[in-house]
Amino acid sequence: MALDVVGDRWTLLIVRELLIRGACRYTDLRSGLPGIATNLLAERLRELEQEGLIVREEAPPPIATTLVRLTARGQALERVILELGRWGAPLLAEGTPGHQLLLHWLVLPLRLHLVDSRPDQGACTIAIRAGAEGIAGGDGIAGAAGILITANRGVVTVDSGRPEQADLVLTGDAATILTLLVGRISVAAARVAGVDFKGRTDLLSRVVPRSDRSSRQ
Amino acid sequence: MALDVVGDRWTLLIVRELLIRGACRYTDLRSGLPGIATNLLAERLRELEQEGLIVREEAPPPIATTLVRLTARGQALERVILELGRWGAPLLAEGTPGHQLLLHWLVLPLRLHLVDSRPDQGACTIAIRAGAEGIAGGDGIAGAAGILITANRGVVTVDSGRPEQADLVLTGDAATILTLLVGRISVAAARVAGVDFKGRTDLLSRVVPRSDRSSRQ
DNA sequence: CAGCATCCGCTTTGATACTG
DNA sequence: CAGTATCAAAGCGGATGCTG
């Protein structure tokens, strides 16, 4: 019966997008779901609204648009989506040629995997931006939401957004950044692969994968 | 990427069926998946085999048939399916008119919810068989796998199968049995709803829903 | 530009019939 | 028992057009 509600093509991906980005516009959703037909997105949103998983609301005064937001019932799907992600992680590691990977999609897996290796220290922030080919595509701008990671006294947060400033700013493509953050390649190797580092690269040993002591250096 | 593998219609339901029943025949699968087209089942099994989620093997000598069994990779989907079930539980409680519910589908949710209220006592068994309308349908026989519950020193097991003998045998339709086992109706009410009890009905207070002290009496 | 609705060609699905 | 073959209907992806 759960699959009757969320088992249609795209439905869980739409929910994931809303989990990552919070309330967002129709156009944001479309840019985060490459390949979805616009009529299908409209139809799925209608279904999700009817099932009580999302609500539409007018944005606060300055902005003139309607936002789509998950209800508590919709948010409750996070556990399902995290389990699916955990199961699928080996597929991501294998890597798939024709498969594109948007940067902000890494938010949920990073929340699962990253921990603060220096719980005694205060706040620091790492920002990640999409690299060249992420912007090359015409709609790359809208889709390139970016990631903001903070660590503060043992608590790591990972969110999507357009990071303004940070102690460390990484710029590169999602796949490379991922292998770097989960500790499978070094900073040097990431540089070779086209990742640009601005700021305190030492922070990469502050925010590390769960149960991993490698300093990534 | 996980949804690319298991996101197609029927795929997760096939995996669930194999989780519940263990190795089983093509025909068993079909009877446990009312409404699936036979060509679709064949196609999905091919895909699942290719992805390494299932294997086919010849049954041991006496029986001449091929069995389908989950690999470890396929079994790993149990956590995904359990989370989907947990999320969908409210839908089951609401109840849906035209929606049929096979008895053995209750195996996974019951594993989650039932505990032994008398961990100090030894083994007892409860068998559940499909009621009249479960057998009325032409293919009801094959689909009516039944459930066998055991409690032994605090450990509860729930499995599908054709129970031979038990300390208590319940016969009735899945929906009523479910409401009885999760403690929402009494034995008396279940009797009125057509459930037949043979044996020690007191065992229903031995196997109870998690964190629930109601004796169901 | 945000937020759809419509149309078109193609693929997938569901139902049924048939076969070794 | 374990599928394959066939066909109509539904769903999907892509392009385009429309409205505030």
Side-chain angles (χ1 to χ4, degrees), chain B residues 2-3 13 20 29 41 43 51 98-99 121 123 127 148 163 179 210:
Chain B
L3 288 174
L13 293 174
I20 294 173
L29 284 174
L41 177 54
E43 187 180 329
E51 299 283 354
H99 212 285
Q121 295 183 14
L148 186 61
T179 58
R210 199 171 290 280

Side-chain angles (χ1 to χ4, degrees), chain A residues 26 38 46 56 65-66:
Chain A
Y26 185 89
T38 172
R46 226 177 295 129
R56 285 168 217 254
T65 185
T66 70

Side-chain angles (χ1 to χ4, degrees), chain B residues 25-27 38-39 42 46 56 65-66:
Chain B
R25 297 170 301 174
Y26 185 90
T27 311
T38 172
N39 57 349
R46 227 177 295 131
R56 286 168 218 252
T65 184
T66 70

Side-chain angles (χ1 to χ4, degrees), chain B residues 127-181:
Chain B
I128 309 176
R129 295 185 217 254
E133 80 285 15
I135 297 171
D139 61 345
I141 311 279
I147 301 180
L148 186 61
I149 303 172
T150 72
N152 188 8
R153 308 238 157 255
V155 178
V156 175
T157 70
V158 184
D159 285 292
S160 79
R162 192 163 302 281
E164 294 306 325
Q165 56 185 18
D167 301 319
L168 169 64
V169 178
L170 307 186
T171 310
D173 73 288
T176 313
I177 299 261
L178 175 63
T179 58
L180 171 70
L181 288 182

Side-chain angles (χ1 to χ4, degrees), chain A residues 89-101:
Chain A
L91 304 173
L92 190 59
E94 289 170 19
T96 5
H99 213 285
Q100 74 172 303
L101 179 63

